[in-house]
Amino acid sequence: MIGLPHYILLSAVIFSIGVYGVLTRRNAIAVLMSVELMLNAVNINFVAANKFMNAAAAVGQLFSVFIIVVAAAEIAVGLALVISIYRQRKSVDLNDFNLLKW
Amino acid sequence: MFEFSAFSLYDAAFLAIGGVTILGALGVVLFRNIIYSALSLVFTMLGVAAIYFQLNAGFLGAIQILVYAGAISVLIIFAVMLLMNKEARRTNLPTTRTKAWFAGGTITVMMLASIIAAVGFSEWPKTALQGVDNSVGMLAELMLGDYVIAFEAAAILLLVAVIGAIILAKGVENK
């Protein structure tokens, strides 16, 4: 019988994979993709908790919609930043991104 | 809590979808070619959409397919194609620093273990509640009712983000 804990475990696994990607990838776009993975894991949690704990109201789904909005804004600005830095450094390697370091 | 007493079609569907989703997520972080990573991300997004459908959140699943599997993945693949200056096989390499790799693995494993332990030690509701059939109508009422300020703020956020993305990607002209 699949219940709420299984959905939370699935979401925890996806979130952990996202954290691993953020911490160990060198490509800036890969890091952005890993952040998207983490946001999706959070969304699964919200929707599952909405279904299993308070199915009469759709508040969890509403929060998921807002998270999707923020994720879309984040990926748009993030990719624009990466393109902007690429123009100066000719690289998307995070090791080359030390413009704010002195 | 992990007993598999009554194994139904629903459970089999969950296991299949969850397996595909986790494999896709692993592909995102483990492929060394970033184009494969992006395609793997599309798989993951579709898996998450299937999980929404399974959780009676059909509207959210449709949004997920449209926004993530459609728009965001196209945006990412577009950026990948714009920014590739090396051979494609070696575009998504792991970090060279052993310390960073070790720290990443340790943090991931510790976090996952603590969440699994927390889930294992918690009490959970035994049965699923009856889902809402008309979740779109309820979402609309919430969005334009109690959460109208958040709704407007999200709209302004999207507008500002789009304008900011255009300005950032266009770059400053050197005079």
Side-chain angles (χ1 to χ4, degrees):
Chain A
M1 176 71 199
I2 298 290
L4 183 52
H6 301 86
Y7 284 101
I8 290 181
L9 284 180
L10 172 68
S11 135
V13 170
I14 296 176
F15 190 88
S16 304
I17 293 171
V19 169
Y20 178 78
V22 167
L23 290 175
T24 59
R25 292 285 107 182
R26 256 169 35 191
N27 190 319
I29 300 175
V31 170
L32 281 174
M33 292 199 288
S34 304
V35 172
E36 292 299 307
L37 280 184
M38 290 157 74
L39 288 164
N40 268 278
V42 174
N43 272 350
I44 293 177
N45 254 358
F46 267 121
V47 179
N50 183 57
K51 158 123 176 163
F52 285 94
M53 288 186 158
N54 188 11
V59 182
Q61 295 187 29
L62 184 78
F63 281 16
S64 286
V65 172
F66 285 134
I67 291 177
I68 289 177
V69 168
V70 174
E74 175 258 333
I75 198 79
V77 174
L79 287 176
L81 273 175
V82 173
I83 288 174
S84 177
I85 299 174
Y86 177 82
R87 198 172 283 140
Q88 288 203 348
R89 293 293 165 110
K90 295 284 175 258
S91 162
V92 284
D93 195 325
L94 284 175
N95 291 334
D96 297 340
F97 290 4
N98 51 3
L99 290 97
L100 294 181
K101 214 153 116 187
W102 58 285
Chain B
M1 52 154 264
F2 289 119
E3 77 273 25
F4 291 94
S5 52
F7 196 77
S8 65
L9 195 62
Y10 183 92
D11 305 349
F14 173 80
L15 290 180
I17 296 169
V20 168
T21 312
I22 290 175
L23 280 181
L26 280 175
V28 172
V29 297
L30 293 183
F31 273 129
R32 290 180 161 236
N33 184 340
I34 196 158
I35 299 172
Y36 293 166
S37 290
L39 293 178
S40 196
L41 185 73
V42 176
F43 258 95
T44 315
M45 297 311 174
L46 290 176
V48 173
I51 283 181
Y52 291 162
F53 285 126
Q54 205 190 17
L55 283 168
N56 265 4
F59 177 62
L60 213 54
I63 289 184
Q64 173 85 8
I65 291 176
L66 280 175
V67 174
Y68 272 115
I72 289 183
S73 61
V74 167
L75 197 65
I76 288 176
I77 291 172
F78 203 73
V80 164
M81 295 295 182
L82 270 178
L83 302 185
M84 263 197 330
N85 59 350
K86 287 179 287 187
E87 50 192 317
R89 267 185 302 114
R90 298 169 44 79
T91 39
N92 189 15
L93 297 175
T95 179
T96 42
R97 282 174 291 192
T98 326
K99 211 192 287 177
W101 188 89
F102 186 73
T106 312
I107 290 172
T108 306
V109 168
M110 277 167 60
M111 198 178 66
L112 192 58
S114 58
I115 294 176
I116 288 175
V119 168
F121 287 121
S122 300
E123 286 285 319
W124 298 99
K126 281 291 167 199
T127 52
L129 302 170
Q130 191 58 45
V132 199
D133 286 335
N134 183 18
S135 67
V136 184
M138 295 188 58
L139 275 178
E141 276 171 22
L142 283 172
M143 253 188 207
L144 298 176
D146 290 351
Y147 293 88
V148 67
I149 297 175
F151 176 70
E152 299 292 344
I156 294 173
L157 172 74
L158 267 184
L159 179 69
V160 171
V162 168
I163 295 174
I166 291 171
I167 292 174
L168 280 173
K170 191 164 155 267
V172 185
E173 288 177 27
N174 292 321
K175 284 180 181 171

